[in-house]
Amino acid sequence: MPIEIRTHAEELIKDFTRKRIPEGLEDKIRILHKTRGCVITLIEERPHFMRPGLWTLFEVAQFRYKPSTGIWTLYCRDRHHKWWRFTPEPPSRDLAALIRAVDEDPTCIFWG
């Protein structure tokens, strides 16, 4: 992924994650991301219910970038940890639109 695309994408993701967690709940939930190649994965962390000092990770969504087209595609994960294209939202050059789809979660696939 070109560095300028990656930088812009990570800024959008960081802005989203800052706004997603209500003030005062930072010790109860965290939203992070990891970037690998042309894929940005959104991750939710929460304290383990039996072991509060341990945080559990749940991969929420993936944004996959195709350099040859400049298109982002949104993926969701099933209960078997397999990634599927989120078909209600078409691939787009506008990553912000895909982030909004995750935030709004019209099918409750991302946040339950």
Side-chain angles (χ1 to χ4, degrees):
M1 176 182 330
I3 190 67
E4 64 276 358
I5 299 293
R6 179 181 175 146
T7 301
H8 178 67
E10 288 183 337
E11 287 173 5
L12 289 173
I13 296 285
K14 286 177 186 174
D15 187 50
F16 165 72
T17 60
R18 278 191 296 273
K19 293 176 182 175
R20 181 79 188 173
I21 303 301
E23 191 173 322
L25 294 182
E26 297 87 358
D27 61 333
K28 305 236 184 293
I29 185 169
R30 297 186 286 222
I31 307 289
L32 311 168
H33 76 279
K34 68 179 177 183
T35 304
R36 184 172 183 187
C38 292
V39 178
I40 299 175
T41 304
L42 199 58
I43 302 163
E44 179 183 89
E45 287 187 323
R46 293 177 180 263
H48 190 276
F49 72 100
M50 297 285 288
R51 298 168 56 195
L54 179 68
W55 285 72
T56 59
L57 304 174
F58 178 76
E59 293 177 323
V60 176
Q62 275 191 349
F63 306 94
R64 297 183 187 179
Y65 181 74
K66 189 170 183 181
S68 62
T69 62
I71 300 288
W72 289 93
T73 304
L74 176 58
Y75 284 77
C76 58
R77 206 176 75 154
D78 68 16
R79 63 189 175 113
H80 302 292
H81 306 280
K82 183 173 179 179
W83 291 101
W84 298 88
R85 190 169 84 71
F86 183 66
T87 55
E89 194 65 35
S92 175
R93 291 183 187 277
D94 183 10
L95 177 58
L98 301 180
I99 293 170
R100 276 192 302 278
V102 172
D103 189 34
E104 294 168 3
D105 196 9
T107 63
C108 299
I109 191 88
F110 300 109
W111 307 108

